[in-house]
Amino acid sequence: MSNTPHLKPLRTLCSSCSLRELCLPVGLNRDEVEQLDAVIRQSRVVKRGEYLYRSGEEFKSLYAIRTGFLKACVSSQDGREQVTGFYMSGDLVGLDGISSNHHGCDAIALEDSEVCELPFARLEEIGRVIPSLQTHFYRLMSREIVRDQGVMLLLGNMKAEERLAAFLLNISQRLYSRGFAANDFVLRMTREEIGSYLGLKLETVSRTLSKFQNDGWIEVNHKHIKLLKPKELKELVSGCAHQI
Amino acid sequence: MSNTPHLKPLRTLCSSCSLRELCLPVGLNRDEVEQLDAVIRQSRVVKRGEYLYRSGEEFKSLYAIRTGFLKACVSSQDGREQVTGFYMSGDLVGLDGISSNHHGCDAIALEDSEVCELPFARLEEIGRVIPSLQTHFYRLMSREIVRDQGVMLLLGNMKAEERLAAFLLNISQRLYSRGFAANDFVLRMTREEIGSYLGLKLETVSRTLSKFQNDGWIEVNHKHIKLLKPKELKELVSGCAHQI
DNA sequence: CGGGTCTTTGAAGATAGTCAATTTAGGTGG
DNA sequence: CCACCTAAATTGACTATCTTCAAAGACCCG
């Protein structure tokens, strides 16, 4: 789509990235961000449907998402698939690969995406030199653990309607914090992928969305969702200690 | 129970700890373990039913479990409780607190336990000095993420029997790797706590255990469990990519 | 514009949850 | 050390929720 030809592949820099306040550079000063710039190997484009990495592949790098939307999923031998997360700009993916030096899940683009490759070994090195980066990185890993615990609460305790309400609010809040409209957005994933993430069948997801629409809480136009009564959705999930 | 009076509280050292090969010191040389020893503030006893920490409390330390058994759980405002994990000797708890400087869940002893307190700030410091400790620590955090993903797969995709089989095998394997019998053990948690962890009601847990017993796969005597046909249990959960 | 994917909706069926009654175990205190 | 008492576990009957199976309709990309 771009009309701007360029001779070299575009070099992406944290220091000039609009995601500075969301992504890894949070809390770093100018010098530190420049050191971080030196770590980024390159930015990489992943087309819709393509794998960023596959389960079992050797783990070398984390990826910071610049633009686009990805899902992570673990697949079982007999074909069952569990979506473990959806990731958007500013999110960091691949943290599960550190433990065994092999990726533990697949990462698949749900729309054309661009990611920054961060070789983990280099990240470790500069973490030792920039304590604030290291601290921030520990926090990011811990945040992933907290997020997963929230999903466990959702999967273990909540009914279909509560799960879907929590899901919609979570997407809404994340888009909002990235400067998009909170109550009017387009889902990038299928009903089946939502269902997999929420531990529901796609028919249940569809039915529940229809019910919310009939109640006047949301407006559904295929993947285009409008939250008409976010407050009611929040009340539905309230009682759950953590949002996902 | 101890007949050995001592004037000072017992100082516990990694270098003389029988859990060296399971716990944080994995892969460290003698010098490095001694540096780690200097970090441990003290060992602390948590009686059955007591809290090691509570959700919302300020996060200062991680805890390595020396002896005993704990559960971690997130509680919701309306009283719903989700057990997010069971922890035994050599396990590290509290990782979820790093992200916000506040503990995100409760940690409660299911039997009298002894833990080593590891002030996180000091752990960060020596991580910068001992790269292998830092790498190992990243791995531990990542392992927690992988574990949580396994639980998500379990909660999202598996039926009651599969969940319980996976649970029994997980406990079995973890006890085995600590030198205990794999097929003959005592559960430290109630049916309700198992159910909370697995996203099932306690009655379902009880019924499913009874069914396994009727099938001759296990022998149940209250909390005492014998696995008679672990192979059949494994076949039941096979197809799931990751054990929890 | 057309084929395949995605979605919606209905009806029937299965799994797990709820409610309830009984039994058992294990800790506490005398 | 024993007896009591409370908490935990088992089991049954019924119900709710979600899944499964099925068919039809809508969209979107090439």
Side-chain angles (χ1 to χ4, degrees):
Chain A
M1 286 297 175
S2 172
N3 296 319
T4 45
H6 42 258
L7 300 172
K8 297 179 181 180
L10 190 65
R11 180 67 201 275
T12 308
L13 294 175
C14 292
S15 40
S16 59
C17 177
S18 62
L19 296 169
R20 265 197 318 283
E21 296 309 313
L22 266 173
C23 192
L24 212 48
V26 168
L28 301 191
N29 65 34
R30 183 187 299 247
D31 278 359
E32 291 166 343
V33 174
E34 278 171 14
Q35 287 184 268
L36 187 56
D37 273 334
V39 166
I40 298 178
R41 202 210 304 249
Q42 61 186 51
S43 81
R44 179 174 150 190
V45 168
V46 194
K47 292 268 175 204
R48 183 188 142 122
E50 285 180 359
Y51 286 74
L52 174 58
Y53 53 78
R54 284 170 192 268
S55 177
E57 276 180 14
E58 191 184 353
F59 165 80
K60 285 177 184 155
S61 300
L62 299 170
Y63 299 91
I65 301 175
R66 273 183 56 74
T67 61
F69 203 90
L70 290 92
K71 69 171 175 179
C73 49
V74 291
S75 302
S76 60
Q77 299 155 358
D78 61 353
R80 282 189 276 197
E81 174 182 298
Q82 170 78 26
V83 173
T84 55
F86 296 110
Y87 298 93
M88 52 181 84
S89 58
D91 288 336
L92 201 62
V93 297
L95 293 173
D96 58 280
I98 298 170
S99 71
S100 64
N101 263 314
H102 292 270
H103 287 289
C105 61
D106 300 323
I108 301 168
L110 297 182
E111 62 178 13
D112 294 357
S113 304
E114 193 187 344
V115 300
C116 298
E117 182 177 352
L118 305 158
F120 182 63
R122 303 236 27 219
L123 216 50
E124 274 190 292
E125 281 167 26
I126 68 161
R128 284 195 277 277
V129 184
I130 312 176
S132 61
L133 177 66
Q134 192 190 44
T135 299
H136 184 57
F137 188 67
Y138 282 131
R139 290 224 172 103
L140 280 177
M141 293 197 74
S142 177
R143 194 203 288 170
E144 183 79 14
I145 294 171
V146 173
R147 192 189 68 82
D148 289 349
Q149 285 176 354
V151 177
M152 286 163 64
L153 181 66
L154 179 145
L155 292 172
N157 268 311
M158 292 166 71
K159 295 198 189 305
E161 289 185 23
E162 297 170 321
R163 293 184 200 194
L164 205 65
F167 170 76
L168 291 173
L169 291 169
N170 173 258
I171 295 287
S172 164
Q173 177 262 309
R174 287 162 71 192
L175 288 171
Y176 182 70
S177 74
R178 282 158 179 81
F180 298 103
N183 298 322
D184 189 323
F185 50 85
V186 174
L187 296 173
R188 311 261 79 129
M189 69 294 280
T190 67
R191 303 286 192 262
E192 186 168 19
E193 286 160 341
I194 297 172
S196 171
Y197 182 60
L198 298 178
L200 301 169
K201 293 296 160 188
L202 69 96
E203 295 94 332
T204 306
V205 173
S206 179
R207 267 185 255 272
T208 308
L209 285 174
S210 298
K211 182 184 179 301
F212 284 166
Q213 179 161 238
N214 289 334
D215 293 350
W217 289 10
I218 66 174
E219 195 181 309
V220 184
N221 250 294
H222 313 291
K223 303 206 158 164
H224 183 177
I225 305 281
K226 288 185 186 174
L227 305 188
L228 304 177
K229 302 199 176 172
K231 199 180 151 204
E232 275 76 358
L233 290 172
K234 276 168 202 156
E235 276 165 21
L236 188 60
V237 294
S238 83
C240 299
H242 304 265
Q243 313 290 18
I244 52 172
Chain B
M1 284 298 173
S2 171
N3 297 320
T4 45
H6 41 260
L7 300 172
K8 297 179 182 181
L10 191 63
R11 180 69 201 272
T12 308
L13 294 174
C14 291
S15 41
S16 58
C17 177
S18 61
L19 297 168
R20 264 196 319 284
E21 296 310 313
L22 267 173
C23 193
L24 213 48
V26 168
L28 302 190
N29 64 34
R30 182 187 300 245
D31 279 358
E32 291 165 342
V33 174
E34 278 172 14
Q35 288 185 267
L36 186 58
D37 273 334
V39 166
I40 298 178
R41 199 205 311 241
Q42 60 185 55
S43 81
R44 178 174 150 191
V45 168
V46 194
K47 291 270 174 199
R48 181 191 146 123
E50 286 180 356
Y51 286 73
L52 175 57
Y53 52 79
R54 285 170 192 268
S55 177
E57 275 180 15
E58 191 184 353
F59 165 80
K60 284 179 186 157
S61 299
L62 299 170
Y63 299 91
I65 301 175
R66 274 183 53 76
T67 61
F69 203 90
L70 290 92
K71 69 171 174 179
C73 49
V74 292
S75 303
S76 60
Q77 299 156 355
D78 62 352
R80 284 191 274 197
E81 173 180 299
Q82 171 76 28
V83 173
T84 55
F86 295 109
Y87 298 93
M88 52 180 86
S89 58
D91 289 336
L92 201 63
V93 299
L95 292 173
D96 57 279
I98 298 169
S99 71
S100 63
N101 264 315
H102 292 271
H103 287 288
C105 61
D106 300 323
I108 301 168
L110 297 181
E111 62 177 14
D112 294 356
S113 303
E114 193 187 344
V115 300
C116 298
E117 182 177 354
L118 305 158
F120 181 63
R122 304 236 28 217
L123 217 49
E124 274 191 292
E125 281 168 26
I126 68 162
R128 285 195 277 277
V129 185
I130 312 176
S132 61
L133 177 66
Q134 192 189 44
T135 299
H136 183 58
F137 188 67
Y138 282 131
R139 290 223 171 103
L140 279 178
M141 292 196 75
S142 177
R143 194 203 288 170
E144 183 78 14
I145 293 171
V146 172
R147 192 189 69 82
D148 289 348
Q149 285 176 353
V151 178
M152 285 164 64
L153 181 66
L154 178 145
L155 291 172
N157 269 310
M158 292 166 70
K159 296 198 189 306
E161 289 185 23
E162 297 170 322
R163 294 184 198 194
L164 205 65
F167 170 76
L168 292 173
L169 290 169
N170 174 258
I171 294 289
S172 163
Q173 177 261 309
R174 287 163 71 193
L175 288 171
Y176 182 70
S177 75
R178 283 159 178 78
F180 297 103
N183 298 322
D184 189 323
F185 49 85
V186 174
L187 297 173
R188 312 263 74 132
M189 69 292 280
T190 66
R191 303 287 192 263
E192 186 168 21
E193 286 160 340
I194 297 172
S196 171
Y197 181 61
L198 298 178
L200 301 169
K201 293 294 161 189
L202 68 96
E203 295 95 331
T204 306
V205 173
S206 180
R207 268 186 254 273
T208 308
L209 286 174
S210 298
K211 183 185 178 301
F212 284 166
Q213 178 161 240
N214 289 334
D215 294 350
W217 290 10
I218 67 175
E219 196 181 309
V220 185
N221 249 293
H222 313 291
K223 303 205 159 163
H224 183 177
I225 305 281
K226 287 185 187 176
L227 305 187
L228 303 176
K229 302 199 175 172
K231 199 179 151 205
E232 275 76 359
L233 290 171
K234 277 169 200 155
E235 277 164 20
L236 188 60
V237 293
S238 83
C240 299
H242 305 264
Q243 313 289 20
I244 53 171

